[in-house]
Amino acid sequence: MLEVRNLEVVYDDVMLVLRGVSLSVPPGAIVALLGANGAGKTTLLRALSGLLDVHDGEITKGTVTLEGEPIHHLKPAQIVRRGLSQVMEGRRILAELTVEENLRVGGHTARESHLDRVYGLFPVLAERRRSVSGYLSGGEQQMLAVGRALMAGPAYLLLDEPSLGLAPALVAQIRDLIVEINQQGTTVLLVEQNATMALSIAAHGYVMETGSIVMDKPSADLLADEDIKEFYLGLG
Ligand code: ATP
């Protein structure tokens, strides 16, 4: 279980951006984290993966535990070793490296079995393993970013807006791949603005607004409520 309890995060010592967030991701699940631009979703993921430091952010209250062990004081590499990996928004791949070089850089323990798993999930990456990554399409770059995170063999995968900027057919493809990754045993926390996509595969959804969780329900309940759909999910 990945558990966030009463988490407060401040940027630049003064700006309170997470205001006591609590959230649970049970092993084996896909959980969706929804909310408008600027709600604090990316900040929460940074806090989980130990990446606040580089953004002048800091946890000022609360805890993050993974399988019962606190991880909020750990460095990013230590958190990855504990089994939690994040796929960055904006697909921060190294454009001048080949596909395979990107995958090997991403994996802290670049194991061949992990490479095989990634190529199995994304045959297009196998075909293009020696291509320079900067020439990949947007969808392929997104797959490469997911592949890179999977190279560490994580038990928990954090995805930050994997559908951003992709055409509908590619969004459907990414959604199916997330389901497949989950079925292979990886627990997923999925941050999305595309609420329809996220709730179609997540069992449970959290909605964030200005640094707080304002809604926390099974996906079916969120989708069944017209007011929630209109006011919180932009699906009215
Ligand atoms: P988006 O979908 O646009 O990424 P989000 O829900 O992920 O939105 P965050 O990126 O976490 O939201 O931003 C939450 C708030 O924190 C915003 O007001 C943003 O301007 C602010 N913020 C984000 N990063 C920093 C930073 N490094 N320094 C100061 N403020 C920041």
Side-chain angles (χ1 to χ4, degrees):
M1 177 92 94
L2 172 65
E3 279 203 288
V4 179
R5 284 290 156 259
N6 200 26
L7 201 70
E8 251 184 40
V9 168
V10 168
Y11 284 115
D12 303 322
D13 293 328
V14 287
M15 200 176 128
L16 183 62
V17 167
L18 294 191
R19 303 158 182 269
V21 167
S22 297
L23 164 151
S24 303
V25 185
I30 300 178
V31 170
L33 177 60
L34 311 167
N37 269 325
K41 307 179 298 297
T42 298
T43 299
L44 177 57
L45 293 193
R46 282 177 188 157
L48 297 177
S49 7
L51 295 170
L52 280 173
D53 266 10
V54 285
H55 298 276
D56 295 316
E58 188 190 1
I59 294 173
T60 46
K61 225 190 239 177
T63 56
V64 181
T65 57
L66 188 63
E67 317 299 17
E69 301 282 331
I71 59 164
H72 49 269
H73 58 290
L74 299 181
K75 302 261 177 257
Q78 295 173 309
I79 293 173
V80 170
R81 280 199 291 277
R82 296 283 181 102
L84 186 140
S85 287
Q86 178 173 354
V87 181
M88 303 292 176
E89 185 186 10
R91 313 143 199 158
R92 267 174 237 151
I93 57 165
L94 304 167
E96 67 280 11
L97 298 187
T98 66
V99 166
E100 187 148 322
E101 284 165 349
N102 260 293
L103 290 172
R104 290 187 184 278
V105 168
H108 292 259
T109 53
R111 286 221 229 119
E112 294 310 306
S113 61
H114 294 151
L115 195 62
D116 291 345
R117 179 191 180 196
V118 170
Y119 284 150
L121 279 163
F122 308 107
V124 65
L125 297 183
E127 283 162 25
R128 309 206 56 184
R129 64 209 294 164
R130 298 190 210 298
S131 305
V132 172
S133 305
Y135 296 140
L136 298 179
S137 71
E140 290 163 351
Q141 292 193 14
Q142 183 58 39
M143 290 176 196
L144 181 55
V146 177
R148 249 173 55 151
L150 289 176
M151 285 299 288
Y156 290 80
L157 186 69
L158 311 178
L159 286 154
D160 198 352
E161 303 212 23
S163 78
L164 192 72
L166 299 185
L170 278 173
V171 174
Q173 204 182 337
I174 288 277
R175 183 197 57 211
D176 293 348
L177 283 162
I178 296 169
V179 171
E180 195 175 341
I181 289 165
N182 176 251
Q183 283 170 349
Q184 291 177 353
T186 308
T187 305
V188 174
L189 176 60
L190 173 61
V191 165
E192 262 300 335
Q193 298 229 12
N194 186 335
T196 309
M197 183 277 244
L199 294 176
S200 74
I201 59 173
H204 203 93
Y206 289 82
V207 182
M208 256 183 117
E209 213 178 52
T210 53
S212 302
I213 302 287
V214 292
M215 201 71 65
D216 161 15
K217 286 181 190 296
S219 300
D221 293 2
L222 290 173
L223 288 169
D225 187 318
E226 290 305 322
D227 287 342
I228 292 176
K229 277 168 72 174
E230 183 172 349
F231 294 115
Y232 292 108
L233 306 179
L235 302 174

